[in-house]
Amino acid sequence: MKTVQGISLDYYIWLSAALFTIGVLGVLYRRNSIIIFMCIELMLNAVNLLLVAFASYYQDPQGQVFVFFIMAVAAAEVAVGLAILVLMHMNTKSIDIKVLNRLKW
Amino acid sequence: MVNSELIIALIPLLPLIGFLLISLFVNRISKSLASLIATGSVLVSFLLAVIIFIKLIGLPVDQRVIQVNIFNWISVEDFSAKISFLIDPLSSLMLLIITGVGFLIHVYSIGYMHNDEASNRFFSYLNLFVFFMLLLVMGSNYLLLFVGWEGVGLCSYLLIGFWFKNKEYTYAANKAFIMNRIGDLGLIVGVILIFIHFGSIEYSSVLQAVSKQGGSEILTLITILLFVGAMGKSAQIPLYTWLPDAMAGPTPVSALIHAATMVTAGIYMVARNNILYTLSPISLNLILIVGLITALFAATIALTQNDIKKVLAYSTVSQLGLMFVALGVGAYSTGIFHMTTHAFFKALLFLAAGSVIHGMQGEQDIRNMGGLRKYLPITFYVFFIGVLAISGIPPFAGFFSKDEILAKAFEHSPVVYGLALLTSLLTVFYMFRLLFLTFFGNARATEEVKHHIHESPKSMTIPLIVLAILSLVGGWIGIPEVLGGSNQVGEFLDPVFTSSQVLLSEHALSRSTEIILMSVVVVSTLILIGVAYSIYVSKNTVPQKENSTLSPFHTLLYNKYYIDELYDSVIVKPLKKIAKVFYRLIEKSGIDFMVNTFGNSIVSGSKFARLLQAGDIAFYIFAMVIGIIVLIATGGLMK
Amino acid sequence: MITAFLIFWPLVASLLVFAFHGYAKPIALAASIIELVVSIVAAVNFISDSSIQYSINYAWIQSAGINFHVGIDGISLLLVLLTTFLIPFIILSSFSINYKNPSVFYGLILLMQMALVGVFVSLDGFLFYLFWEMALIPVYFICLIWGGEDRGVITLKFFIYTLSGSLLMLIALVYLYFQTQGQHSFDIQQLYAAGRSLPVREQGILFWAFFIAFAIKMPVFPFHTWQPDTYNVAPVQGTMLLSAIMLKMGIYGVIRWLVPMVPYGVQTWGESAIVLSVVGIVYASCIALVQKDFKRLLAYSSIAHVGLISGGIFTLSKIGMQGAMIQMLSHGLIVFALFYLVDIIVARTKTKVIKQLGGIRSQAPIFTTIFLIVMLGSIALPFTSGFVGEFLLINSLVKYQLGLGVAAGLTTILGAVYMLRAFQKSMLGETGENTSSFMDLTTREKLVLYPIVVLILGIGIYPTPFLKISEAAVNNLLTIVTNYLALVK
């Protein structure tokens, strides 16, 4: 039985898979930019969870280092992303992504 | 004593220098200086040619060859073309004719062109022509022959279109150049084949190699190709139609280029390569047939022409045909002999015609002439001598050379003899017709013109008189043994034709046959003159005006068998059509269309593809997810 | 060092031109003359054997096996000389025209010169490709900015067409690169070895990849359709660059890269290439017969001439190669002069339709005489440079196969037909309304044309020095190829 801190590794995998799927579905189904944004964060965190779990399981710190990187990148991304959202709201008075369908050709 | 190499090199160089001097300072030197330079350079060349000729005579018969190398022109791998000159009896005879007749025509031109504002240009072209013509006959290899060949073609082009403001003249010039180019292609391919098969283009080595190897199919091909070149330059069927049109040029040009020298280049070429032709009987027969047909064909056309120069032009074509007949039966020196006498009397006739035209203020139609004997006495006499010479009345020059051709033709076959005889009789008829219509009978010119008719200046009449003397005595260098002569010209040229003569079995005619043949010719000639006299002088017949109805045969002749029209509809128009098809169909709607379609299909393809970019972010993300899944899945499959 | 100078001096000069844009014309002219002088120095010090001289081999991108390897042998030298000789005249020819943004214009010409010289001296596949593409950019902008009507579409077509051709060459080069032994390298000798080690099928494929790239540049039938339009729309200096120098890149590519690299492929497919070339000669000559526009006529005549050159090269004979070399030189000079003369006509009469001209000769005798001489060179009259090349090329083709040689020889007849016709319609006859005040050549125009005419006649009368330059290199190249082919069999 593969365990991490007494909890079976399978549970970590299932949990992060569930989180990731929720994130993907959220991105695909929701039109509200903020929620899409949050769903992206959810996916990132699902991956983080998995990385941490496996790092612990293999006793290899590389995975944990990755998590830090991801968190840093995610933070930066949030900064930029929210700035875009603010601008978008200022210009279109909406944060519905359907409004942005002029982003073509 | 200057060495002969320098003299030989100077012969062609002097006219070239003359050309350069005149053309570089064309606007800065006076007319008289230009004509002096041009005439002087040719005169000095002539004197040098005489010196060389005398030197050559001084040598033993079998050593009469001088070769002078100037520099290496093109050399690649085993191909090498030198600028080098070969003087042997054949080329030295040509030198004398070219520079001698050339000089006289230069002198004549001083008078003829003195009113033309562009006479400097005229003289520069004439000098250039003499240079290229000398190169043609002096060159010691086939490529130099070709250089001269094209060079004289260029000068001919420039001089036919000398009065370039007249559209028709420029058409005639283009026609001459292009028709010659067709022949030139044959010639150059022939030369290349010679190089490929004999490894050299020097006459000396090629001729030697050929006489060792004997005949072969490739030799036949080569000789035919070379003869195609001669067809173009010497105006033989089917490439003759440029020559009559070439009369658009000033008359001295017609005399020098289109009668005495350039058009005989083909004769020279065949004579030079006599051994090649002797060894390929097929080509020799081709020459004979083409020569015969051309001679007869052109003579019949000449019967009905009304332009004084056109008659002479067709007569030239016909006489060239006769020369080819001589070559075709293997009588090379006879061909050259006739070429020599022809150079004298035809130049004389052209220049005399020029004098008539000059006196008549540019009138060329013999229907508007008549009775000019009184107005232009010197011109009349010299023209008369020319006519006697070309008709072959003894003891004028044409008699001896023409008689020799007929005798050789008789040796070959009676049919050839018959046709050649017919040609020469036709010649007699149309020449006397020309003479009578021009100088006898009533003066048909308008009063206005009559008032102005005047004999030409001395600079024109003196060359005429010299040429008239030459037309009389020119034939005496080749008096046959039958008449007590020794045929000096034949003997002089013999070394050039030795190897051919060995191969051609000579069965000389008996004395009596020869004399009978001669008398047949002379008697029938005299009868024909009588006929012509009765028609054109006693009955005073004048050719009918344009658009009057003629008999069908007469119409056919008058329109020159419609050959020009035939070429136009068989070659020129189809070529234009093909070109248009190429351009519109294949180029525009074929190749270019395909290229454009290829480009356009990418553009329209991307028009379709960009519909995917609907701007819907959700769709983008969805596509991305699908893409990732596909990537992962295929990645799994790959493993 | 001299090679590096020849490449980079134009670059420096173009920067100078950009910097001091008030003096663009004199700087550009002076710079190109300096370049010419240096190239002449190089030619004078050149030892006429087959070795590669003035070579520089500097490791550039070592990990990828790319070196800055340049050098000059006889074949390169002739083309470098052609380039450095013509560029000053091209610049000089533009002095009477006031282009907008002159500094950009002259800067681009100089950049073009850099790329052209680079192509002719590169001995590294990567470098060659780099310069090859670099040459396209300046001329594209020259045509696009200063061109005539419809320039956008036409220059785009030209650009894309030639670029896609180059793509095939890039693929072939990279493929060969991966065939090199040991650490992969773009060095020319390594690529040669790699190409020659391939079996005939692959050599054939590579042959076509290279050939199409070069054929588009030359252009050889049926890859020529970009050319007439581009020549027509480009400003005359652009046309000169394209026709007089740039198309030689394609021919040079065949000689330097294609033939020694995949000799077996060349031998197998050479006949098809020759047939294409000969078809192109007759085809383009025929089309030139019915052109109404002077520039288009010259464009098609250029296709015919280039077809002859390409045909001669693929006979793989020394006569053909040497003929091609001398004909490249001659064609460069003649086509430059012809386009310049036609441009003078267009500038003075505002028309390039042949029929609307006429009678120029009586107004401008010197102009007409120059035109006549250049035209005679173009139709290969003896004692002009055109004859030497054309004779050698036809000679090689006749030797290869009589029928092909005769068909190629038709160009001498058809060429005479369309050139004389154009000459007659534009220069001879009565003066028309367009030509009634046609001015004769100005001093500046004479300054451009006289040296060219002197060279056209000079090469025609005494071609030996020019033939000598490339002789050893061509010899060497063909010896290697024949030895290889003998070995393969």
Side-chain angles (χ1 to χ4, degrees):
Chain A
M1 188 68 179
K2 297 167 183 169
T3 57
V4 176
Q5 304 218 333
I7 300 168
S8 165
L9 189 58
D10 284 357
Y11 292 118
Y12 292 98
I13 295 172
W14 281 115
L15 176 59
S16 66
L19 280 175
F20 193 85
T21 313
I22 291 166
V24 169
L25 291 176
V27 168
L28 289 181
Y29 283 112
R30 301 305 296 261
R31 285 161 55 181
N32 186 320
S33 306
I34 292 182
I35 291 183
I36 289 175
F37 217 60
M38 284 159 65
C39 288
I40 291 172
E41 294 302 311
L42 206 56
M43 287 191 278
L44 285 172
N45 283 326
V47 174
N48 283 349
L49 180 63
L50 211 54
L51 279 169
V52 172
F54 275 92
S56 174
Y57 173 71
Y58 286 115
Q59 297 294 309
D60 181 352
Q62 274 192 23
Q64 314 225 2
V65 174
F66 258 117
V67 171
F68 282 119
F69 270 104
I70 291 173
M71 281 161 72
V73 171
E77 187 202 321
V78 168
V80 178
L82 285 179
I84 293 174
L85 276 182
V86 170
L87 275 174
M88 179 180 162
H89 190 255
M90 277 163 68
N91 283 307
T92 63
K93 304 289 170 218
S94 159
I95 49 170
D96 189 331
I97 54 164
K98 285 280 176 198
V99 178
L100 287 184
N101 66 357
R102 274 173 297 169
L103 277 174
K104 60 180 180 184
W105 337 319
Chain B
M1 187 79 197
V2 200
N3 67 2
S4 49
E5 298 202 349
L6 183 68
I7 296 178
I8 291 169
L10 275 178
I11 294 174
L13 207 57
L14 284 168
L16 179 66
I17 293 170
F19 160 72
L20 289 175
L21 279 179
I22 302 171
S23 56
L24 287 179
F25 305 105
V26 68
N27 292 327
R28 265 166 271 174
I29 55 176
S30 64
K31 279 185 188 177
S32 45
L33 182 60
S35 50
L36 193 71
I37 293 173
T39 318
S41 64
V42 179
L43 175 64
V44 177
S45 279
F46 173 65
L47 296 176
L48 295 177
V50 171
I51 294 174
I52 289 297
F53 179 75
I54 292 168
K55 277 199 166 185
L56 208 61
I57 297 264
L59 293 170
V61 174
D62 52 345
Q63 287 170 22
R64 285 177 181 172
V65 177
I66 309 172
Q67 184 146 0
V68 186
N69 291 337
I70 311 293
F71 66 90
N72 241 348
W73 181 31
I74 306 175
S75 78
V76 177
E77 207 179 7
D78 50 346
F79 176 83
S80 117
K82 280 180 271 182
I83 303 279
S84 60
F85 301 132
L86 173 78
I87 301 292
D88 67 352
L90 179 58
S91 53
S92 84
L93 181 66
M94 296 294 293
L95 283 189
L96 289 177
I97 298 171
I98 294 161
T99 51
V101 176
F103 167 67
L104 292 173
I105 291 172
H106 271 72
V107 174
Y108 177 92
S109 306
I110 298 175
Y112 193 82
M113 297 300 285
H114 78 105
N115 280 331
D116 198 294
E117 50 186 313
S119 74
N120 286 3
R121 196 157 52 82
F122 179 79
F123 278 108
S124 76
Y125 292 165
L126 272 193
N127 262 10
L128 186 65
F129 169 77
V130 173
F131 163 70
F132 275 121
M133 194 65 209
L134 290 173
L135 213 56
L136 194 162
V137 297
M138 289 172 77
S140 78
N141 59 50
Y142 289 95
L143 202 61
L144 270 190
L145 172 86
F146 182 76
V147 170
W149 201 270
E150 287 260 279
V152 291
L154 166 70
C155 298
S156 158
Y157 163 76
L158 291 172
L159 285 164
I160 295 169
F162 180 73
W163 289 308
F164 57 83
K165 286 186 186 170
N166 185 321
K167 224 173 189 178
E168 254 171 59
Y169 293 1
T170 59
Y171 272 116
N174 279 4
K175 186 174 175 182
F177 193 87
I178 290 160
M179 280 216 152
N180 271 304
R181 265 273 157 134
I182 297 173
D184 292 356
L185 178 61
L187 182 67
I188 194 74
V189 173
V191 171
I192 291 170
L193 283 179
I194 286 178
F195 163 66
I196 292 171
H197 290 279
F198 302 106
S200 169
I201 52 163
E202 288 291 316
Y203 291 138
S204 47
S205 33
V206 172
L207 298 182
Q208 211 165 18
V210 172
S211 29
K212 266 189 202 139
Q213 285 178 15
S216 61
E217 272 177 29
I218 195 77
L219 196 64
T220 310
L221 181 63
I222 288 173
T223 44
I224 288 175
L225 283 169
L226 293 181
F227 182 59
V228 170
M231 283 176 183
K233 195 108 296 176
S234 297
Q236 296 298 294
I237 286 177
L239 299 177
Y240 73 96
T241 58
W242 64 271
L243 186 59
D245 288 6
M247 296 303 130
T251 309
V253 172
S254 313
L256 178 62
I257 301 184
H258 303 122
T261 55
M262 183 184 88
V263 288
T264 60
I267 315 288
Y268 165 78
M269 194 271 296
V270 175
R272 170 63 73 206
N273 293 305
N274 57 79
I275 182 67
L276 272 67
Y277 283 95
T278 309
L279 287 170
S280 31
I282 298 176
S283 322
L284 212 52
N285 276 331
L286 179 73
I287 294 182
L288 177 61
I289 292 165
V290 169
L292 258 185
I293 296 176
T294 311
L296 205 56
F297 195 76
T300 51
I301 297 176
L303 289 174
T304 56
Q305 297 303 304
N306 292 328
D307 181 320
I308 186 167
K309 284 178 78 179
K310 283 264 162 83
V311 176
L312 292 175
Y314 279 106
S315 153
T316 306
V317 175
S318 164
Q319 294 294 315
L320 287 166
L322 272 186
M323 293 176 215
F324 277 112
V325 169
L327 300 175
V329 299
Y332 300 110
S333 61
T334 310
I336 295 291
F337 180 34
H338 191 57
M339 189 199 83
T340 313
T341 56
H342 177 257
F344 298 144
F345 60 67
K346 194 47 78 58
L348 170 65
L349 285 169
F350 264 115
L351 293 185
S355 176
V356 170
I357 296 165
H358 190 77
M360 301 270 298
Q361 265 99 55
E363 180 60 64
Q364 299 197 10
D365 194 326
I366 46 176
R367 285 172 297 196
N368 300 331
M369 294 179 181
L372 293 178
R373 206 164 27 147
K374 287 173 285 181
Y375 300 96
L376 307 166
I378 302 176
T379 308
F380 165 67
Y381 283 115
V382 294
F383 196 90
F384 191 42
I385 291 174
V387 171
L388 290 176
I390 196 174
S391 307
I393 308 288
F396 290 94
F399 167 71
F400 300 103
S401 55
K402 197 186 266 187
D403 174 69
E404 208 174 311
I405 294 179
L406 291 174
K408 299 281 181 185
F410 190 78
E411 276 175 44
H412 192 80
S413 102
V415 179
V416 177
Y417 172 77
L419 291 172
L421 179 65
L422 182 58
T423 307
S424 68
L425 292 179
L426 287 174
T427 310
V428 174
F429 187 78
Y430 66 70
M431 284 316 294
F432 273 93
R433 168 180 175 267
L434 184 65
L435 178 77
F436 293 146
L437 283 174
T438 311
F439 291 99
F440 289 78
N442 307 326
R444 294 182 294 275
T446 55
E447 287 305 316
E448 158 88 35
V449 174
K450 257 188 221 168
H451 187 69
H452 288 290
I453 297 179
H454 59 87
E455 182 58 280
S456 302
K458 281 229 170 62
S459 66
M460 287 166 71
T461 48
I462 291 172
L464 283 175
I465 293 166
V466 176
L467 279 172
I469 295 168
L470 284 173
S471 301
L472 174 62
V473 304
W476 298 353
I477 54 170
I479 299 175
E481 281 153 32
V482 161
L483 298 180
S486 60
N487 200 352
Q488 284 154 321
V489 68
E491 270 173 32
F492 177 62
L493 289 171
D494 262 352
V496 183
F497 306 119
T498 331
S499 38
S500 290
Q501 278 160 352
V502 174
L503 293 163
L504 292 166
S505 52
E506 277 211 43
H507 41 90
L509 295 173
S510 67
R511 268 181 107 79
S512 52
T513 329
E514 211 165 316
I515 293 196
I516 290 170
L517 289 179
M518 242 176 240
S519 10
V520 167
V521 177
V522 173
V523 169
S524 44
T525 301
L526 290 175
I527 293 170
L528 257 181
I529 294 173
V531 173
Y533 187 84
S534 72
I535 296 176
Y536 293 107
V537 182
S538 308
K539 291 192 191 155
N540 231 334
T541 318
V542 176
Q544 282 151 326
K545 292 273 172 257
E546 226 68 49
N547 69 31
S548 55
T549 45
L550 302 166
S551 69
F553 186 60
H554 196 138
T555 318
L556 186 67
L557 292 184
Y558 185 74
N559 290 303
K560 307 151 203 162
Y561 294 100
Y562 297 100
I563 294 292
D564 275 321
E565 288 78 1
L566 183 75
Y567 284 175
D568 195 50
S569 57
V570 174
I571 297 169
V572 179
K573 277 184 187 152
L575 185 66
K576 267 192 182 168
K577 275 231 171 80
I578 289 172
K580 273 186 186 152
V581 167
F582 275 175
Y583 185 53
R584 301 221 176 104
L585 215 66
I586 301 182
E587 177 85 354
K588 285 289 160 202
S589 39
I591 300 170
D592 203 26
F593 178 74
M594 253 152 47
V595 172
N596 288 340
T597 312
F598 187 73
N600 289 340
S601 66
I602 289 176
V603 171
S604 53
S606 24
K607 259 184 201 155
F608 175 73
R610 77 177 182 181
L611 294 180
L612 289 172
Q613 306 256 325
D616 188 349
I617 297 173
F619 177 72
Y620 293 165
I621 297 168
F622 177 70
M624 190 174 87
V625 169
I626 299 288
I628 289 168
I629 290 169
V630 168
L631 268 182
I632 291 168
T634 52
L637 285 177
M638 296 283 256
K639 276 182 192 150
Chain C
M1 264 335 276
I2 211 162
T3 323
F5 180 86
L6 285 174
I7 296 175
F8 291 113
W9 170 247
L11 179 67
V12 175
S14 69
L15 293 178
L16 284 176
V17 169
F18 287 132
F20 302 96
H21 42 76
Y23 305 96
K25 281 180 186 177
I27 293 177
L29 183 62
S32 62
I33 290 174
I34 292 172
E35 174 96 351
L36 173 61
V37 170
V38 173
S39 69
I40 289 174
V41 170
V44 170
N45 292 325
F46 184 81
I47 308 151
S48 55
D49 60 14
S50 65
S51 65
I52 287 168
Q53 293 160 43
Y54 310 113
S55 85
I56 298 171
N57 198 349
Y58 168 78
W60 182 21
I61 308 175
Q62 252 166 333
S63 54
I66 296 169
N67 299 312
F68 184 81
H69 188 189
V70 293
I72 297 178
D73 71 348
I75 299 170
S76 308
L77 181 64
L78 217 51
L79 288 160
V80 169
L81 281 177
L82 178 70
T83 312
T84 56
F85 177 79
L86 282 181
I87 296 274
F89 287 99
I90 291 175
I91 291 174
L92 194 62
S93 74
S94 68
F95 272 28
S96 51
I97 310 165
N98 278 320
Y99 287 116
K100 56 176 185 189
N101 294 332
S103 64
V104 180
F105 184 75
Y106 293 104
L108 286 174
I109 290 184
L110 289 167
L111 279 181
M112 182 81 188
Q113 182 173 24
M114 171 196 177
L116 290 166
V117 172
V119 164
F120 295 139
V121 300
S122 292
L123 294 173
D124 182 277
F126 185 82
L127 205 60
F128 174 73
Y129 183 77
L130 196 77
F131 282 124
W132 177 275
E133 294 297 30
M134 201 190 273
L136 194 53
I137 296 162
V139 81
Y140 170 71
F141 281 111
I142 289 174
C143 299
L144 184 66
I145 301 175
W146 293 276
E149 220 176 309
D150 278 343
R151 57 180 182 266
V153 180
I154 288 165
T155 48
L156 184 70
K157 179 172 167 186
F158 153 63
F159 191 85
I160 302 284
Y161 204 149
T162 46
L163 194 71
S164 44
S166 321
L167 194 63
L168 288 174
M169 178 169 79
L170 180 65
I171 295 166
L173 274 175
V174 172
Y175 180 80
L176 277 170
Y177 168 74
F178 285 117
Q179 301 295 321
T180 50
Q181 297 294 312
Q183 211 226 342
H184 296 320
S185 162
F186 273 111
D187 190 80
I188 191 164
Q189 293 302 335
Q190 299 260 14
L191 292 176
Y192 281 177
R196 287 177 204 154
S197 67
L198 293 172
V200 63
R201 211 180 78 89
E202 286 175 46
Q203 287 205 15
I205 295 168
L206 286 175
F207 167 84
W208 282 107
F210 277 111
F211 176 72
I212 291 176
F214 297 142
I216 290 173
K217 204 67 131 201
M218 286 195 245
V220 168
F221 175 86
F223 305 104
H224 63 276
T225 48
W226 61 269
Q227 189 245 38
D229 286 337
T230 312
Y231 282 14
N232 203 16
V233 80
V236 68
Q237 281 74 28
T239 314
M240 289 168 180
L241 284 171
L242 280 169
S243 60
I245 316 177
M246 199 168 164
L247 70 81
K248 272 73 186 181
M249 280 170 39
I251 303 166
Y252 174 82
V254 172
I255 297 178
R256 167 73 71 222
W257 294 90
L258 181 54
V259 171
M261 194 128 53
V262 285
Y264 208 4
V266 172
Q267 204 200 23
T268 319
W269 293 103
E271 188 163 6
S272 321
I274 293 177
V275 169
L276 274 187
S277 309
V278 171
V279 168
I281 294 170
V282 179
Y283 175 81
S285 303
C286 279
I287 290 185
L289 292 178
V290 289
Q291 292 306 308
K292 301 189 169 78
D293 179 309
F294 227 133
K295 277 192 167 182
R296 278 181 175 277
L297 184 134
L298 295 184
Y300 280 106
S301 100
S302 179
I303 296 174
H305 283 118
V306 170
L308 188 58
I309 300 179
S310 130
I313 291 174
F314 284 111
T315 61
L316 294 184
S317 64
K318 200 178 154 197
I319 290 181
M321 284 270 182
Q322 282 287 69
M325 292 308 299
I326 206 86
Q327 182 72 342
M328 274 199 262
L329 210 59
S330 152
H331 178 262
L333 296 171
I334 288 169
V335 108
F336 165 82
L338 280 175
F339 274 113
Y340 187 45
L341 288 163
V342 168
D343 189 59
I344 292 174
I345 294 179
V346 175
R348 294 193 184 156
T349 62
K350 310 287 174 233
T351 176
K352 49 190 175 178
V353 180
I354 298 169
K355 257 192 205 156
Q356 294 174 1
L357 302 165
I360 291 178
R361 187 170 182 175
S362 35
Q363 300 295 317
I366 302 177
F367 177 86
T368 312
T369 309
I370 299 287
F371 194 101
L372 181 71
I373 296 173
V374 177
M375 179 188 83
L376 294 175
S378 166
I379 60 176
L381 210 84
F383 290 153
T384 63
S385 59
F387 174 72
V388 182
E390 216 156 274
F391 171 72
L392 292 173
L393 288 166
I394 292 178
N395 194 335
S396 71
L397 281 168
V398 169
K399 201 168 187 173
Y400 188 80
Q401 205 189 319
L402 181 62
L404 284 173
V406 173
L410 287 178
T411 181
T412 58
I413 299 171
L414 295 172
V417 176
Y418 60 74
M419 284 314 260
L420 289 185
R421 178 183 142 269
F423 183 76
Q424 177 206 16
K425 299 242 152 113
S426 59
M427 305 288 165
L428 309 178
E430 292 286 349
T431 315
E433 56 176 316
N434 285 321
T435 53
S436 55
S437 56
F438 197 93
M439 192 178 52
D440 211 338
L441 291 178
T442 63
T443 318
R444 197 183 280 147
E445 287 158 352
K446 284 181 190 167
L447 206 62
V448 176
L449 285 166
Y450 283 4
I452 303 280
V453 166
V454 168
L455 260 184
I456 289 174
L457 294 174
I459 297 176
I461 293 167
Y462 194 54
T464 314
F466 298 92
L467 286 168
K468 273 273 173 327
I469 291 179
S470 59
E471 188 173 23
V474 165
N475 239 345
N476 184 40
L477 191 150
L478 283 174
T479 318
I480 292 172
V481 169
T482 7
N483 288 347
Y484 168 80
L485 288 173
L487 209 70
V488 169
K489 286 190 179 142

